[in-house]
Amino acid sequence: MLDITAKVIENRLLSEKGRIYSLTLDSPELSKDCLPGQFYEIKVGGLDSRFLLRRPFSVAFCDDKTVTIRYNVVGAGTEWMSGITPGQMLDVLGPLGRGWPVDKTKKTLLVGGSTGIFSVLGAASHLGDKSRAVLGFRSCDLVNSVEDFKAFGVPVSIITEDGSSGRKGLVTELVKEELDKNEYDTVFICGSTLMMKSVAELLKDYDVDCYVSIEERMACGVGACMGCVVKIKADNEQGWEYKRACAEGPVFNAAEVIW
Ligand SMILES: Cc1cc2nc3c(=O)[nH]c(=O)nc-3n(C[C@H](O)[C@H](O)[C@H](O)COP(=O)(O)OP(=O)(O)OC[C@H]3O[C@@H](n4cnc5c(N)ncnc54)[C@H](O)[C@@H]3O)c2cc1C
């Protein structure tokens, strides 16, 4: 894990109404050893910032020299990030956490909801046509990155809650249709807790391995503060223990999560 000052080479608006951006850093140091499903902690507000906590973002994809993250503007930190210009320096910590158990011999269904699509995009960049993505959004304003999945060779289906893009409904419907084809060995899910819980519940009826990325609100991001703990089944008296999403996760085996 590195704490690096990296140069921004792009901060591109992907969806004006949805306020979604793609930010690329020029940093071979940060991209080296970066695995899909891991994340970076970005110091917002500038190098002399008074924002106390860094903000975590999943790696969307990386190459030998660059790292790209994608973000939705939701509060003060991401609002500040939306004003970043190329050439600006950012203080970035990472890569952090444990990512997806990517295995190119296994046919994998990638399930993303809202900003959870960025973490599964990381897996798509490694799996290519060994995977398929089903992505759910609230409305067409938030639909983004579909072309990137396709560019990695991954077929994509979209569903929106209001039917303004793709089919109308919830992503669980698409997951069920895909699983009924009996083609998949593994499922990776990242989205709201409610969505991940519903999909994980549905998967109990199928013989597939399922992993979830739990993007809990986190403070330190490096396992020190215990602010992002999740309940995980354990072989002890109470049957569970707390694990840190930032250190032991954010990716966990769905069968072990107590929702
Ligand atoms: C491991 C991890 C990976 C993440 N990856 C991405 C990513 O790739 N792209 C992306 O857009 N976002 C991602 N997030 C969420 C992102 O970190 C937050 O949206 C960001 O920190 C908000 O900062 P802010 O200062 O703009 O908002 P704040 O002012 O801190 O919060 C604004 C609102 O957003 C809510 N919020 C903040 N963080 C979270 C969270 N983790 N889960 C649910 N609600 C939250 C707050 O409750 C509040 O209502 C990730 C979070 C984690 C833990």
Side-chain angles (χ1 to χ4, degrees):
M1 183 243 300
L2 295 164
D3 186 356
I4 291 258
T5 304
K7 188 194 269 184
V8 175
I9 50 178
E10 182 179 78
N11 189 28
R12 181 165 49 97
L13 187 62
L14 295 181
S15 159
E16 196 164 353
K17 281 193 179 162
R19 304 213 60 201
I20 294 160
Y21 289 79
S22 182
L23 185 143
T24 302
L25 296 161
D26 177 14
S27 178
E29 299 91 337
L30 285 174
S31 70
K32 188 170 176 282
D33 305 328
C34 156
L35 298 169
Q38 288 190 297
F39 65 95
Y40 293 92
E41 283 269 28
I42 295 185
K43 189 165 167 51
V44 291
L47 298 182
D48 58 352
S49 168
R50 282 187 219 143
F51 279 89
L52 193 59
L53 301 174
R54 290 167 181 268
R55 302 302 198 260
F57 298 93
S58 300
V59 53
F61 44 85
C62 52
D63 60 25
D64 293 349
K65 296 190 182 116
T66 68
V67 169
T68 296
I69 60 126
R70 293 196 163 166
Y71 63 95
N72 193 187
V73 176
V74 293
T78 44
E79 186 68 57
W80 178 83
M81 286 169 66
S82 70
I84 291 172
T85 51
Q88 204 166 322
M89 304 302 284
L90 280 187
D91 183 338
V92 185
L93 197 65
L96 297 165
R98 293 192 190 169
W100 302 110
V102 168
D103 181 343
K104 282 187 180 170
T105 65
K106 294 187 174 167
K107 175 97 176 167
T108 304
L109 182 65
L110 306 174
V111 185
S114 186
T115 54
I117 70 165
F118 304 129
S119 179
V120 294
L121 178 57
S125 72
H126 284 246
L127 287 164
D129 65 5
K130 283 300 287 184
S131 63
R132 180 181 182 92
V134 293
L135 309 177
F137 302 91
R138 271 202 316 278
S139 73
C140 61
D141 294 341
L142 295 167
V143 175
N144 72 91
S145 303
V146 174
E147 293 310 315
D148 298 282
F149 280 89
K150 290 182 181 167
F152 292 128
V154 180
V156 183
S157 304
I158 292 172
I159 194 158
T160 50
E161 286 174 27
D162 64 1
S164 54
S165 180
R167 240 169 72 177
K168 181 176 178 177
L170 298 175
V171 78
T172 37
E173 295 167 32
L174 293 181
V175 174
K176 185 166 182 350
E177 284 171 25
E178 285 303 318
L179 289 174
D180 284 341
K181 294 178 186 168
N182 282 324
E183 287 177 359
Y184 297 95
D185 305 298
T186 314
V187 182
F188 294 168
I189 319 170
C190 188
S192 69
T193 305
L194 187 63
M195 181 274 258
M196 292 196 287
K197 189 179 168 185
S198 319
V199 177
E201 194 60 35
L202 173 73
L203 290 177
K204 284 182 181 162
D205 297 335
Y206 296 86
D207 183 23
V208 288
D209 294 327
C210 176
Y211 296 86
V212 289
S213 180
I214 299 192
E215 297 193 339
E216 272 296 323
R217 292 211 76 183
M218 52 182 65
C220 76
V222 293
C225 75
M226 307 295 284
C228 60
V229 288
V230 285
K231 271 186 177 175
I232 300 293
K233 286 180 190 161
D235 197 10
N236 59 21
E237 211 172 290
Q238 60 190 1
W240 59 269
E241 62 186 346
Y242 282 123
K243 289 205 170 169
R244 299 159 299 179
C246 69
E248 283 87 35
V251 174
F252 292 97
N253 186 326
E256 293 172 3
V257 177
I258 299 178
W259 298 98

